[in-house]
Amino acid sequence: MRTGGAPVFGAGVGFLAVLLTLGGCGGSGSAASAPATSTTSSTAPPSTPPEDLCTRLVAHWSREVLDENTYGDYQSMGLSNGQYDILIKVVDAARAAKKKQGAAAADQLIDRQARSGCVRWYRDGGPGKGPWQ
């Protein structure tokens, strides 16, 4: 049992950095930080559909993995195991495309396959439809 001491920061910090990089939070001067000027009720900004967020995360990390030629821990990437499964398939296909057709073809393939995999995964239920997914 641990007592006292400084808190330990782990994989969650990396996930937060990715969300901030991908536009998960508004910056200064955004509508969220501007004072309300009317008395009418405001509506929340539209949320990002889960398959779109999944696509952006999987495509981002697929490019990172392809460039580094190594896989990392899915949790440190902020991915679920289902999203990580999509990433592995995307990167394997992108490596083959890069070898045969070049980097531009691999980049386009990443976008297509990440989108396709995420749309299919969320259509079938997404996270929570199995143990630790």
Side-chain angles (χ1 to χ4, degrees), residues 82-100:
Q83 291 166 330
Y84 192 70
D85 289 343
I86 297 167
L87 176 131
I88 291 170
K89 293 172 186 171
V90 169
V91 172
D92 287 347
R95 283 189 178 139
K98 186 175 182 180
K99 187 175 182 178
K100 291 180 184 180

Side-chain angles (χ1 to χ4, degrees), residues 12-82:
V13 174
F15 178 64
L16 179 60
V18 170
L19 285 179
L20 291 174
T21 301
L22 294 174
C25 295
S28 63
S30 69
S33 63
T37 57
S38 71
T39 58
T40 60
S41 66
S42 61
T43 59
S47 63
T48 303
E51 60 273 9
D52 290 350
L53 183 57
C54 171
T55 299
R56 290 176 14 197
L57 287 169
V58 169
H60 168 79
W61 285 111
S62 293
R63 288 182 177 91
E64 291 287 322
V65 169
L66 183 64
D67 291 342
E68 294 177 14
N69 203 28
T70 183
Y71 288 97
D73 175 56
Y74 73 96
Q75 291 174 328
S76 68
M77 295 176 183
L79 302 174
S80 68
N81 75 311

